[in-house]
Amino acid sequence: MLMSSADRPAKLAYGPNGFRVLSAGHYVTCAVTGEKIPLELLRYWSVERQEPYATPEIATKRLLGQA
């Protein structure tokens, strides 16, 4: 059975002003919660850690070493 891009996670390169799609997919997984984040809703990530976050609160906690 073939998987559509909606069934696959995307692989991204995170930059300071946006991200670049390295491998097509519909979502990424939050590095802290494991929650699926649709690419169109992705707003928070760490360039240094190269990981996405579901919410600004999760991103802040992670960057402060609390998550």
Side-chain angles (χ1 to χ4, degrees):
M1 182 172 144
L2 294 174
M3 292 177 65
S4 73
S5 63
D7 298 328
R8 284 192 318 231
K11 292 188 185 191
L12 307 180
Y14 301 97
N17 299 312
F19 56 82
R20 185 167 44 98
V21 177
L22 302 176
S23 178
H26 184 67
Y27 67 91
V28 291
T29 304
C30 177
V32 176
T33 67
E35 176 182 346
K36 290 181 180 180
I37 309 164
L39 293 188
E40 62 271 14
L41 299 179
L42 178 60
R43 303 284 182 271
Y44 312 101
W45 59 83
S46 168
V47 174
E48 293 79 19
R49 295 177 190 236
Q50 287 295 294
E51 56 186 25
Y53 309 112
T55 68
E57 294 82 12
I58 292 169
T60 300
K61 285 182 181 180
R62 178 71 164 173
L63 297 176
L64 293 175
Q66 300 170 354

